[in-house]
Amino acid sequence: MQTLTLQTPDDWHLHLRDGDMLQETVPATARCFRRAIAMPNLAPPVRNAEEALAYRDRILAARPEGSYFEPLLTLYLTDHTTPEDIAAASAAGIPAVKLYPAGATTNSAFGVTDLRGRYPVLEALQKHDMLLLIHGEVTDAHIDIFDREKVFIDEKLKPVTEQFPDLKVVFEHITTREAVEFVESTTARVAATITPQHLMLNRNDMLVGGIRPHNYCLPVLKRNIHQQALRQVVASGSPKFFLGTDSAPHVKAMKETACGCAGCYSAWAAIELYAQVFDELEALDKLEGFASHYGPDFYGLPRNTGTITLARQEWTVPESITLADGQPIVPFIAGQPVQWKLVEPL
């Protein structure tokens, strides 16, 4: 197969950031994704419908001329979120709320400290048929960072899905075999997104031969057995797993520092990298479902019309990208070859 045409895909987990950064991130995403779930962990975060709609306007203002890219907004769940906030968000057409355990990742200081205390809000989500998107890690200091996802499943996620059986839950950017097994074993109301970095890399790629800060993300890369579990499940074509890049830009100076930021900026090559992975797995026939069908189906949205086309053509990801203010960003797998190229974008 030398070309691959897909029904227009979406990105169900994306960090666009804010301000001048939008001039880079929005066009990079809009070249191949019609819709994207925009994460709310700004500074300050997106906490209510009014803030979400204002953020949407800023994203739309950064769209390339002629683009039909549509951001789908989310609220940031805090200890102060109320059922009334959820009702207002539902009325405004906001499809989801994002749960960050406090301290789990970038800009998560406003996150939830007591999940059981948020159960009235989860009940409101269930009532209004809104989705709960979860960064699934505990943050207890005594829990090894490589075990935080597994412990979250056992201590937090299972009780939530049992207490709220009609709540739609997306377990985002899963990284472990245990997460795969949990999602496969539970109800049709639970699904998961998987990133390109967690399909392509394991913790050796971050640590062997010296620390590689541009491969550092949260949840952190895990050992090979977990990477293989993710690869196997996407190759199976299960509709419970779909595309969410978790593309998360940081300027180079914030990554290459003594306390570097977590995140891989994959938007420049996202759909191409997924194609490369599915090609390696001899599962290119499963990519369209993963990229274009299962996400909108789970969200209860129509599938996109139109197509994009990729060709089996090697190209090299740039070593860096310069923002309007002159600061560089190092994209994911900078300077490395990619075997598929988008030749007919949106």
Side-chain angles (χ1 to χ4, degrees):
M1 181 183 296
Q2 297 304 309
T3 62
L4 178 64
T5 297
L6 304 173
Q7 193 167 355
T8 305
D10 303 298
D11 187 346
W12 299 98
H13 183 156
L14 177 66
H15 297 271
L16 291 168
R17 307 302 188 204
D18 206 355
D20 291 343
M21 185 76 80
L22 294 175
Q23 301 302 319
E24 160 60 29
T25 58
V26 174
T29 295
R31 69 191 182 91
C32 60
F33 296 116
R34 177 72 72 198
R35 295 170 292 200
I37 287 284
M39 292 293 104
N41 59 331
L42 309 181
V46 177
R47 289 165 289 193
N48 55 52
E50 181 180 4
E51 292 174 351
L53 295 177
Y55 184 37
R56 182 177 187 272
D57 288 343
R58 298 196 298 274
I59 296 169
L60 292 177
R63 287 190 305 186
E65 185 175 353
S67 171
Y68 294 98
F69 172 69
E70 179 184 1
L72 303 174
L73 277 296
T74 58
L75 295 193
Y76 188 117
L77 183 62
T78 76
D79 287 343
H80 305 290
T81 305
T82 66
E84 290 74 24
D85 291 328
I86 301 306
S90 176
I94 296 166
V97 168
K98 179 63 181 276
L99 165 63
Y100 291 105
T105 189
T106 303
N107 293 342
S108 61
F110 290 86
V112 171
T113 62
D114 175 18
L115 183 54
R116 287 192 176 274
R118 301 293 87 218
Y119 274 16
V121 176
L122 303 192
E123 186 174 358
L125 289 174
Q126 184 173 253
K127 174 184 175 181
H128 291 283
D129 200 27
M130 291 177 65
L131 287 79
L132 177 65
L133 316 181
I134 294 178
H135 181 114
E137 294 187 286
V138 297
T139 57
D140 309 78
H142 68 281
I143 302 296
D144 189 288
I145 192 170
F146 293 105
D147 296 329
R148 289 181 173 186
E149 185 172 277
K150 179 183 183 301
V151 174
F152 184 90
I153 294 168
D154 294 335
E155 295 186 356
K156 309 292 184 181
L157 186 54
K158 286 180 180 177
V160 165
T161 56
E162 291 167 0
Q163 182 73 23
F164 303 99
D166 294 325
L167 177 63
K168 278 190 173 181
V169 173
V170 180
F171 193 0
E172 295 196 309
H173 48 42
I174 62 169
T175 67
T176 60
R177 180 172 59 188
E178 289 83 3
V180 170
E181 292 170 349
F182 174 76
V183 173
E184 287 185 311
S185 66
T186 193
T187 74
R189 305 289 286 185
V190 178
T193 57
I194 302 180
T195 74
Q197 62 265 27
H198 290 108
L199 290 169
M200 296 177 67
L201 307 178
N202 59 63
R203 64 190 187 184
N204 282 355
D205 298 293
M206 183 177 62
L207 298 172
V208 172
I211 295 174
R212 295 174 172 83
H214 298 286
N215 289 345
Y216 171 55
C217 57
L218 288 171
V220 71
L221 297 169
K222 304 300 194 297
R223 62 190 303 166
N224 177 265
I225 60 169
H226 299 293
Q227 179 193 7
Q228 294 308 314
L230 299 179
R231 289 169 70 92
Q232 289 167 14
V233 81
V234 299
S236 76
S238 169
K240 300 194 78 177
F241 302 85
F242 45 85
L243 186 155
T245 64
D246 193 24
S247 180
H250 295 281
V251 297
K252 183 178 180 180
M254 295 298 292
K255 291 287 288 181
E256 298 179 4
T257 184
C259 188
C261 295
C264 298
Y265 182 47
S266 59
W268 261 66
I271 194 64
E272 295 92 337
L273 295 177
Y274 282 115
Q276 182 166 302
V277 169
F278 278 75
D279 194 8
E280 293 168 354
L281 296 171
E282 299 182 352
L284 280 172
D285 60 316
K286 303 297 196 304
L287 178 58
E288 185 172 54
F290 177 83
S292 310
H293 297 166
Y294 307 150
D297 292 351
F298 189 78
Y299 272 76
L301 297 171
R303 296 177 180 179
N304 293 318
T305 58
T307 61
I308 62 169
T309 298
L310 299 105
R312 191 186 298 277
Q313 178 180 335
E314 185 173 299
W315 62 286
T316 301
V317 177
E319 292 282 357
S320 68
I321 300 155
T322 303
L323 298 175
D325 63 2
Q327 294 194 81
I329 292 179
V330 177
F332 182 53
I333 67 163
Q336 297 184 38
V338 181
Q339 303 308 313
W340 286 87
K341 185 173 184 179
L342 185 67
V343 293
E344 291 185 18
L346 292 181

